[in-house]
Amino acid sequence: KGKTPLAVVPATRAKSATILGTIAIHGVVKITVGKPNPPSSKKRRLAEDREKKMGTGTNTNHYVAFLLSLMNELDKFKSMKGVYLVMDNAPIH
């Protein structure tokens, strides 16, 4: 009597990855996989650590770099000259 009961609840964090891919009639043209940083076991992080961790997900710069790399890859093949690039608006989060 007088003590607060404690319950231990296991917590899990799902591991995820971002996949940017391109397919054509001939098959897969280019694919990249963005792997996340491993989760920190610290419950509290310093302000500097938070600033370092920001921007580790897929952002506009990653997407533009993927598109530039894709365009360079497409230029290597004569059959890919003049093709259309169709993108969907799938959220990357």
Side-chain angles (χ1 to χ4, degrees):
K1 189 174 181 176
K3 291 185 178 182
T4 303
L6 298 176
V8 178
V9 179
T12 58
R13 292 182 81 173
K15 294 180 182 179
S16 63
T18 300
I19 300 172
L20 296 174
T22 309
I23 58 172
I25 196 167
H26 308 293
V28 174
V29 177
K30 181 160 184 66
I31 191 163
T32 62
V33 178
K35 297 179 184 176
N37 291 335
S40 174
S41 61
K42 295 180 184 178
K43 290 189 177 184
R44 295 183 184 185
R45 294 182 185 144
L46 298 173
E48 295 106 23
D49 287 344
R50 284 189 186 161
E51 289 176 11
K52 284 185 206 174
K53 298 287 182 184
M54 295 297 286
T56 57
T58 301
N59 58 33
T60 302
N61 293 332
H62 295 127
Y63 191 67
V64 170
F66 172 77
L67 289 177
L68 291 173
S69 176
L70 170 64
M71 298 304 232
N72 289 335
E73 192 69 30
L74 291 176
D75 286 342
K76 293 177 183 177
F77 302 98
K78 289 182 181 180
S79 64
M80 293 292 187
K81 299 279 184 186
V83 298
Y84 290 95
L85 181 63
V86 180
M87 299 184 290
D88 68 3
N89 61 349
I92 307 177
H93 54 78

